[in-house]
Amino acid sequence: MTQVLSVTSECAPLMKTGGLADVAGALPAALAPLGIRMRTLLPGYPAVLAAVTKPKVVSTYDDLFGGAARLLAATAAGLDLLILEAAHLFDRPGNPYLADTGHDWPDNPERFAALSWVAADIAAKGIGARADKWHPDVVHCHDWQAALAPVYMQDAGTEIPSILTVHNIAFHGLAPMDRAKALRLKADDLGPDGYEFWGQISALKAGLMTATRLTTVSKTYARELMTEEFGMGLDGVLRDRAHVLSGIVNGIDTATWDPATDPLIAEPYKTPAGKKPNKATLRREFGLPPAGGPLCIVVSRLTEQKGLDLLLQVLPALVDRGGQLALLGSGDPGLEAAFQDAAAHRNIAVKIGYDEALSHRMMAGADAILVPSRFEPCGLTQLYGLRYGTVPLVTLTGGLADTVIPASPAAMAARAATGLSVNPLTAHALSDALIEMCHVFAQPKLWTLIAKNGMKHPVGWDASATEYAALYDQVTLQT
Ligand code: ADP
């Protein structure tokens, strides 16, 4: 049995701000049938500690980046957890990265360096008493928060292979140069050919340079990352390491996201026709009147990445044709305010906040889900849309391009389309795409065919879990 240590700053259902948590939370169960035991190393945020009962102390640290810490083994929500309890770093309420002010905690570099340090320590020494000592065969790190683990492993001469998965290259984990010592990094490694990024230390760059293998969450994003347009300054590093970079698309938890059994929706269903009562419920919930056009949803962080500023500009193209928009999201205050203003229109309704249960009801009740992202490493909401017969309208970028078959004439002729697309993303093109969507929606047979195709499209973890298992095999055989 291959033993994998997964290192992550968030893991659903215990702590989630985005897709990373869903992936980290779903992988262990997806990999178990393939003979892989995955243990998840996670910071001991208050919410995580509150979710476990009877944790077992497996090691202690007198001084872990400025305070005492303990490593606890526990299970929760079916996950085999190693929790880093370090009050000076993680005993803070709310969001794992942001203080009440909405700004990053100033010691984020040290907080997640500590997580990475402990991962490397587990890799070097294993954990537990002699009789039941546990050693990982592979250390699988997620994003910048875990990206220093391969560095510390390399510095300690640990030969266990490491994998770094990029879920979103927009976040580099930057720290001022004068924190290098506090971060336990070697001065020799900090030049421009090393971990330096425009005068600062980049944890992500350091990890990208040192991990045995690199992955990201779709094949298209793997290619895009090596271009100036998408690489966010790290495209050169990634081009240098192209031979160890691959893309493995995310799946979704098809048990939690199953319209036939979902306890969170008004009326479970197996075909697009069964969405009708859920649509009525959704309209009621959002205060939207009956209408003849498509009921569209957005469930998203409200950030520049997601292209929703462009959607705001072109909403008349939708509502002038009887379409409607129900949006659930939070994030950028300017976007929140702009969408709230837009909701003055009777066919636009907006809820600012984060609400997992409501997101299920939206998937069940809507005709279409809009995901006009400027870049999208994988994207999950289009996958929920496919599963729920809610036709995705997506930009052809990253994982959106890899998971949705747009209704081109060829795809329609082959009866294979699962969604609609906008490409390239401009306000004008998005407006045209919304008009086209209304046009297709007005042809119920065509629309239902696309929705049905989507419902049949595999969106679970089976194929991708097999790809991760093969990768673990490759790296363990190589070393
Ligand atoms: P990202 O990780 O960039 O935020 P993804 O599409 O990969 O985007 O994942 C976002 C996840 O967070 C999805 O599971 C989505 O349903 C969920 N989500 C985002 N915003 C909200 C919200 N306001 N309420 C409920 N769920 C949300």
Side-chain angles (χ1 to χ4, degrees), residues 273-428:
K275 291 170 73 69
K276 213 171 167 193
N278 294 294
K279 187 168 174 176
T281 307
L282 181 59
R283 279 207 173 109
R284 262 200 312 280
E285 194 159 4
F286 272 85
L288 289 166
L295 171 53
C296 301
I297 55 167
V298 168
V299 178
S300 184
R301 290 186 294 122
L302 302 181
T303 65
E304 153 95 17
Q305 173 194 338
K306 302 293 179 179
L308 299 170
D309 49 322
L310 298 179
L311 179 64
L312 265 172
Q313 288 175 36
V314 300
L315 279 174
L318 178 68
V319 293
D320 290 354
R321 287 165 184 78
Q324 296 178 310
L325 175 71
L327 175 140
L328 168 65
S330 61
D332 180 84
L335 275 174
E336 287 185 358
F339 272 107
Q340 276 169 322
D341 287 349
H345 193 288
R346 64 195 296 268
N347 282 320
I348 299 174
V350 169
K351 288 191 196 276
I352 299 299
Y354 189 96
D355 188 336
E356 193 89 23
L358 176 59
S359 76
H360 282 245
R361 295 195 293 278
M362 292 172 75
M363 292 295 162
D367 297 304
I369 175 157
L370 311 180
V371 195
S373 304
R374 290 191 165 85
F375 69 95
E376 195 59 76
C378 177
L380 294 175
T381 58
Q382 85 281 9
L383 300 178
Y384 305 145
L386 290 170
R387 181 103 171 121
Y388 280 66
T390 304
V391 174
L393 190 168
V394 302
T395 326
L396 292 182
T397 186
L400 300 174
D402 292 1
T403 55
V404 175
I405 303 169
S408 64
M412 288 314 292
R415 303 175 66 82
T418 60
L420 303 165
S421 66
V422 48
N423 188 46
L425 179 67
T426 61
H428 190 78

Side-chain angles (χ1 to χ4, degrees), residues 137 203 231 412 431:
D137 300 308
M412 288 314 292
S431 172

